[in-house]
Amino acid sequence: MQGYDSAGLPGAAFFTPGTSSFTEFLAAHRPRLLPTAPPVPPGARVGPGRFPHGTTVLALTYRDGVLIAGDRRATMGNLIAQRDLEKVHPADDHTAVAFAGTVGLALDMVRLYQVELTHFEKIEGVPMTLAAKAARLAAMIRQNLAQAMQGLAVVPLLVGYDLTAPGGGHGRIFSYDAAGGLYEKRHFHAEGSGSPYARGALKKLYRPDLSRREAALAALQALYDAADDDSATGGPDLNRRIFPVVSVITEDGFERLPETETEELSRETVRQRAGRPDGPHAAP
């Protein structure tokens, strides 16, 4: 086995300082463990609805940092494959990633990205800059292009709190296309099949001076609108007590809102929609 000795133990490569990229190390010694390893024969195309897909995820900056949220539904064609999928994950202390697209590949990519950032910091002695983290994720997505062309696309959404930004730290949002194109977004963004409706809601609700609670309510209203018009997006499930995942990143680091807080805000959103089904209006 490549990288191992005849007894099956790790070889010298595992104990010799080398590249600060764990992805490059894995590609050299255990390439089949990469999520970009071809899951289907070259030239084949995956039929629609054969693998679970996740939507919808969104992010917005607010007064103290940046918020990232996602619904919990995964679908296979017209079927609900999972109702409580976790689409929002911390990448390190001041960075988080959410995903839309093929669930299995996305989860593997998120785990690899988490290790990538930790490995870099251990080898170099300093964490990556936020811009470098965004570029490194773009390179990983680009390596998945062959699978994306076969119907197994992964489209992440990256957010972070930039401690080194000129004029003081602030939240930043990065989006990607299936070929690894990197785009920084101002104020808010959404990905997934419900993203047009979520972005439309955020366009009328967003203000730069939102508090954490106001930002969380705006995110939940946007996800409610997405679920209202997109069958692949799941809204708050009061009966099963399944609610969107909402997390924030500030100068103090990553924090996932407690389940009790997310439930309370979700129930408030549903109550507001009972009186105004089309949602809150834009502030004057």
Side-chain angles (χ1 to χ4, degrees):
M1 186 179 298
Q2 190 174 3
Y4 288 76
D5 61 22
S6 58
L9 299 175
F14 289 84
F15 303 99
T16 303
T19 176
S20 58
S21 170
F22 183 76
T23 304
E24 293 177 3
F25 178 84
L26 203 60
H29 299 285
R30 296 296 296 278
R32 295 299 302 178
L33 294 181
L34 289 169
T36 53
V40 293
R45 182 167 180 83
V46 177
R50 299 297 297 273
F51 294 95
H53 274 65
T55 59
T56 300
V57 295
L58 59 84
L60 65 151
T61 57
Y62 70 105
R63 186 172 59 202
D64 300 320
V66 60
L67 178 147
I68 187 167
D71 82 307
R72 307 291 295 276
R73 178 173 292 179
T75 57
M76 283 196 305
N78 64 320
L79 302 177
I80 297 176
Q82 189 172 347
R83 300 180 187 274
D84 59 352
L85 178 66
E86 298 274 344
K87 304 177 188 177
V88 179
H89 302 267
D92 63 14
D93 290 343
H94 288 89
T95 317
V97 61
F99 66 85
T102 307
V103 172
L105 291 179
L107 290 174
D108 280 350
M109 189 177 292
V110 168
R111 287 190 284 264
L112 179 60
Y113 185 61
Q114 291 168 333
V115 176
E116 180 82 5
L117 300 188
T118 301
H119 180 80
F120 179 93
E121 186 169 351
K122 289 183 180 296
I123 295 296
E124 299 293 338
V126 294
M128 283 188 198
T129 64
L130 183 54
K133 294 175 188 176
R136 186 63 59 92
L137 183 55
M140 293 173 63
I141 299 166
R142 197 169 298 117
Q143 292 171 350
N144 191 57
L145 180 58
Q147 285 83 301
M149 297 299 291
Q150 294 172 312
L152 299 173
V154 175
V155 183
L157 184 62
L158 181 73
V159 302
Y161 189 87
D162 193 346
L163 296 166
T164 63
H170 62 267
R172 298 172 68 183
I173 302 170
F174 301 90
S175 73
Y176 302 84
D177 60 34
L182 170 61
Y183 314 94
E184 184 165 3
K185 300 296 184 178
R186 286 173 51 85
H187 304 318
F188 59 84
H189 190 63
E191 293 288 358
S193 61
S195 60
Y197 315 108
R199 286 198 296 267
L202 289 174
K203 186 177 291 186
K204 67 179 181 179
L205 298 176
Y206 179 81
R207 301 192 322 272
D209 61 343
L210 291 171
S211 67
R212 187 177 96 156
R213 178 182 175 83
E214 291 170 333
L217 281 171
L220 291 172
Q221 290 283 0
L223 288 173
Y224 193 105
D225 274 346
D228 203 30
D229 287 298
D230 173 46
S231 62
T233 303
D237 191 333
L238 303 186
N239 292 329
R240 296 183 177 89
R241 299 189 68 251
I242 298 174
F243 307 101
V245 174
V246 181
S247 299
V248 296
I249 307 176
T250 65
E251 185 177 7
D252 296 329
F254 174 90
E255 178 190 358
R256 173 170 169 162
L257 269 60
E259 187 77 10
T260 52
E261 183 176 356
T262 308
E263 178 176 356
E264 185 266 322
L265 293 173
S266 296
R267 291 184 181 277
E268 180 175 338
T269 299
V270 173
R271 284 195 299 270
Q272 291 177 3
R273 290 303 180 106
R276 178 175 282 174
D278 58 344
H281 294 173

